[in-house]
Amino acid sequence: MSQPTLLPLKGYTVVSLEQAVAAPLATRHLADLGARVIKLERVGEGDFARNYDTAVKGLASHFVWLNRGKESVALDLKNPETLEIAKKLIASADVFVQNAAPGAAERLGLGAEQLRADNPELITAAITGYGTSGPHKDRKAYDMLIQAESGLVSITGTPETATKTGIPASDIAAAHYTCQSVLAALLRRERTGIGATLDISMLDATAEWLGHPMYMKLYADKQIQRMGLSHASIAPYNAYPTKDGEVLIGIQNDRGWAALMNEVFDCPDYVTDPRFETNVARVQNRFECDAVVAREAQKFTSAELEQKLNDAGIASAQLRDIQGLIDHPQLSSRDRWRTIGSPVGELKALLPPMNFGDVELPTGDIPALGENTQAVLDEVGISQQDFELLLAQGSIGVPQDGVAAGERTSA
């Protein structure tokens, strides 16, 4: 399980000019798959997600989540000398990913057309809020704003309150489509020798995820309502009270309804009750349907009801909090937890969700800001004298505490 030669992206190099969530998550997954990822960061500040909080022993929780397994090179791209170093790094790479503000990469000479003019095999991926054309193309875009513009918040929350998702769904959607597109472009390049210019929009990615409510509005003229834990098109589908808590029950079809009434609740009359006989009828009579399920569920403890539901083949779940996720028996029993290094010592991390039967994907360390600057600049031929001059000018950065690549403190 530890054969690095079997890592899918071993031998590929990705350079990223990234910040926040969307691009860092995309490149973290590329690193998970074995690619070398060189992260270009601002001198002194770095990726601004480094400063969102100090929850992880002084490190920011977002940064720890999104940036393991990468190398950090701190460069001042406003300095022509260090900008040329960045261009050298990109020219030697297979992939360049960026989510800079609209037009910023192009102004630096790092736009796709500029980079690929001399290197047509390069794959470039630009993540933007709204795409590279259209009336919104120059707008800055954050996850909350895209969730609002896309209509996602209109279907999320309770009937009384529109709510953004508890995780940055639009960022994550864009990240996953970026990673998928890069992988497809690498496959195409293997066949054709041709690189790619990839343009991933957070709005496009979120709109793709909204297919069901979009088609309901397009062809049935129905705006999906905010339903909390419930589902606009399925019933029963909610959290139901038990003697000692609650259990989530999801019935996807009429066979499931029959099993729930016959095998779990021993209420066969409701199977053929015209109010509940079909899913359409149950949705139309949702209040009465939920009342029946809630009344019967309260006759059991949560553990008893979950067992009966499982025995009947009916989907159910506990309503866990985040500590419940951390303690989830599936994660521990399947050995999903690993230990990674960081500038503040060892940290817990989950294995990547892409599981290969013949090799374990890496869970790399969290880099200090500029931790790999000297090593990477050595690779592109920067002499020690020039390195020290650039460092004195503030045009490059190294860790302030002196941590060099490969040196870690103990937990």
Side-chain angles (χ1 to χ4, degrees):
M1 295 294 291
S2 60
Q3 302 178 54
T5 56
L6 294 179
L7 292 175
L9 294 184
K10 181 176 175 56
Y12 291 100
T13 298
V14 178
V15 174
S16 65
L17 180 62
E18 59 181 28
Q19 57 194 2
V21 176
L25 181 56
T27 59
R28 199 214 86 184
H29 283 320
L30 295 172
D32 291 339
L33 291 165
R36 181 189 187 189
V37 177
I38 300 172
K39 181 183 179 80
L40 305 181
E41 298 193 68
R42 299 177 187 85
V43 176
E45 178 186 359
D47 179 340
F48 54 64
R50 284 184 178 273
N51 302 304
Y52 280 173
D53 58 61
T54 57
V56 186
K57 299 183 180 180
L59 302 180
S61 52
H62 274 83
F63 193 85
V64 170
W65 165 40
L66 297 165
N67 291 284
R68 71 186 189 205
K70 302 179 185 179
E71 300 173 34
S72 172
V73 175
L75 301 177
D76 177 9
L77 297 184
K78 294 179 180 178
N79 181 317
E81 289 181 76
T82 43
L83 178 59
E84 284 305 310
I85 293 171
K87 289 179 179 178
K88 282 185 180 180
L89 287 171
I90 296 167
S92 65
D94 299 283
V95 181
F96 175 58
V97 178
Q98 60 94 2
N99 67 334
E106 286 74 14
R107 289 191 292 274
L108 289 168
L110 302 179
E113 188 174 335
Q114 298 153 304
L115 293 174
R116 296 192 62 227
D118 297 323
N119 187 6
E121 293 186 0
L122 180 67
I123 294 165
T124 65
I127 303 176
T128 60
Y130 297 97
T132 54
S133 62
H136 283 45
K137 70 180 180 68
D138 293 325
R139 288 193 182 187
K140 289 186 177 180
Y142 305 127
D143 178 82
M144 175 188 69
L145 307 178
I146 297 296
Q147 287 197 38
E149 286 278 353
S150 67
L152 177 56
V153 297
S154 78
I155 62 167
T156 305
T158 66
E160 297 77 23
T161 307
T163 309
K164 72 178 183 66
T165 60
I167 57 173
S170 294
D171 279 326
I172 294 170
H176 280 256
Y177 287 118
T178 301
C179 184
Q180 181 179 353
S181 299
V182 167
L183 296 176
L186 287 170
L187 282 172
R188 189 181 75 171
R189 194 180 71 176
E190 291 296 317
R191 297 195 322 274
T192 67
I194 299 172
T197 299
L198 305 174
D199 169 18
I200 292 86
S201 151
M202 292 169 64
L203 181 65
D204 293 345
T206 310
E208 173 62 28
W209 283 14
L210 289 165
H212 162 241
M214 180 181 68
Y215 281 112
M216 287 293 288
K217 183 61 179 175
L218 275 171
Y219 294 103
D221 196 26
K222 291 183 179 179
Q223 164 71 29
I224 294 294
Q225 299 302 301
R226 297 187 296 274
M227 303 290 292
L229 287 173
S230 191
H231 194 293
S233 300
I234 303 173
Y237 196 104
N238 213 325
Y240 299 94
T242 64
K243 285 182 178 179
D244 58 355
E246 58 185 354
V247 169
L248 277 71
I249 301 173
I251 298 297
Q252 294 277 358
N253 52 51
D254 299 336
R255 294 188 307 279
W257 173 253
L260 180 66
M261 291 298 110
N262 285 326
E263 301 176 40
V264 178
F265 293 150
D266 193 23
C267 296
D269 290 346
Y270 287 122
V271 176
T272 55
D273 187 316
R275 295 173 301 166
F276 311 133
E277 192 171 9
T278 67
N279 182 65
V280 172
R282 292 192 296 274
V283 170
Q284 291 172 344
N285 297 282
R286 182 187 300 276
F287 180 81
E288 295 92 336
C289 179
D290 281 342
V292 168
V293 177
R295 184 192 69 215
E296 296 300 319
Q298 291 179 80
K299 297 176 181 179
F300 305 92
T301 66
S302 294
E304 291 169 343
L305 181 56
E306 279 197 291
Q307 186 61 56
K308 288 181 72 69
L309 291 164
N310 187 59
D311 291 344
I314 294 171
S316 66
Q318 294 183 26
L319 186 60
R320 298 176 187 266
D321 59 13
I322 300 303
Q323 188 62 51
L325 169 65
I326 294 167
D327 297 335
H328 203 294
Q330 280 295 106
L331 297 178
S332 57
S333 67
R334 294 177 62 238
D335 191 28
R336 301 301 297 172
W337 290 102
R338 294 293 181 270
T339 299
I340 61 175
S342 83
V344 295
E346 291 186 344
L347 303 172
K348 292 180 70 173
L350 287 169
L351 282 170
M354 305 86 74
N355 300 302
F356 284 70
D358 54 4
V359 64
E360 181 177 298
L361 298 185
T363 46
D365 293 348
I366 309 300
L369 176 59
E371 178 173 332
N372 309 95
T373 302
Q374 184 160 13
V376 172
L377 265 58
D378 283 347
E379 292 179 26
V380 295
I382 303 301
S383 68
Q384 185 64 28
Q385 181 179 356
D386 288 341
F387 178 88
E388 291 175 359
L389 179 60
L390 291 169
L391 187 62
Q393 292 173 347
S395 298
I396 60 174
V398 295
Q400 293 182 356
D401 60 5
V403 175
E407 294 180 0
R408 294 292 182 183
T409 61
S410 59

